Amino acid sequence: MGLAVVGAGYWGPNLVRNAQQTAALHLHWLCDLDEQRSRKVLGEYSTVAATTSFEQVLADDRVQAVAIATPAAAHHRLARAALEAGKHVLVEKPITTTVEEAADLVALAEERGLVLMCDHTFCYTPVVRRIRELVHAGEIGDVQFFDSVRINLGLVQPDVDVLWDLAPHDLSILDFVLPPGVEPVGVSAQAADPIGAGRACVAYLTLRLSNGALAHCHVNWLSPTKVRTTLIGGSRRTLVWDDLNPQARLAIHDRGVDLTPPDQLTDAIRHRALISYRVGDMVAPALVEQEALRNVMAEFAAAIDEGRRPLTDGRAGLRVLRLLHAASLSLELGGATVPVPVTDFAQERAAVR
């Protein structure tokens, strides 16, 4: 399947490398405004052509698909042009900068019968795939909480705040692993700029879920230590994902709190506490180490070949974008909870289950 990569900056070289190592794809072009940068990425002996002309890429009949890794402000323009030219599109997160632009791309792709996929890379890691399997199979019971921490001494971005830089990862993971029937219904956010950078460098995001549970995300550019942990608590088990621990990235704890239902109370136990604590085993399942982006490329190619929606399709990108915009609005409103249209979420997520 003929492919072109657009953008040779931070993420583009990763797409180039993984596309060349994916048997179902044949990379023909690397397109960037700086042709020398493209040639440097490709190396002296590459058979992949470098160009500054996106129009030249779209005019090539060998190219069936385009992977876009440019600044987000250009995503809508480039993706729309590719879809109009009859090309399938893989686009880096966030899918666009506005909900309206994302909805436009989704509608155009569906109208043309083309694959529009969002590169939510973490969703294609073996650990997140296993978490999704466990949650959807009911192994942890009812979801009771989701808590993620993504902090490090990171680069202060020139064009976005820490919420838009880091939170898309956790929001895409949340969207990917939540079971059917559990959707975000409200978003609130708090943020601060303690170093005077002109944009938020520390943020806390809280989502209310339709089953009464809470999801909480902490993102931070200023932490001297790097932390990448996610906890998903269920009525039966709790999952702990530590992405910095390759020996045991995922731990499944049979520990939690049990509540005696009122209809099961008898006179003999009525005087006891209704709450009891369960302390069981911890299991760390073996996970195959794979580069997530290789799985992204394989899913993109498979979705095109099979004529189906990819696991993280354009609608997944649209849902994450809605949550980000709701979080930004919450910041403007001093942390007030902003409602999320749960019906749209439920219908969109059900289509790829």
Side-chain angles (χ1 to χ4, degrees), residues 97-108:
T97 56
T98 71
V99 170
E100 293 74 19
E101 288 178 346
D104 175 63
L105 294 182
V106 168
L108 180 59

Side-chain angles (χ1 to χ4, degrees), residues 89-90 114-118 124 176 296 299-304 307-316 351-352:
V89 174
L90 169 67
L114 296 168
V115 169
L116 174 63
M117 178 173 172
C118 198
Y124 295 90
F176 190 69
V296 170
E299 172 68 6
F300 185 43
I304 295 171
R308 61 171 174 81
R309 287 168 62 173
L311 288 172
T312 55
D313 64 348
R315 289 185 176 273
V352 291

Side-chain angles (χ1 to χ4, degrees), residues 175-253:
D175 179 75
F176 190 69
V177 305
L178 280 180
V182 181
E183 321 291 341
V185 295
V187 179
S188 60
Q190 299 282 345
D193 175 20
I195 63 172
R199 59 193 59 82
C201 297
V202 180
Y204 296 86
L205 178 63
T206 301
L207 297 90
R208 294 192 175 276
L209 304 181
S210 56
N211 68 341
L214 286 180
H216 186 261
C217 305
H218 173 201
V219 290
N220 187 339
W221 280 332
L222 307 181
S223 170
T225 59
K226 184 175 183 178
V227 180
R228 295 284 188 273
T229 60
T230 299
L231 284 77
I232 305 176
S235 57
R236 294 181 58 200
R237 296 180 179 88
T238 296
L239 307 178
V240 180
W241 168 27
D242 182 354
D243 202 45
L244 302 184
N245 183 3
Q247 285 74 38
R249 292 194 192 277
L250 180 62
I252 306 172
H253 293 266

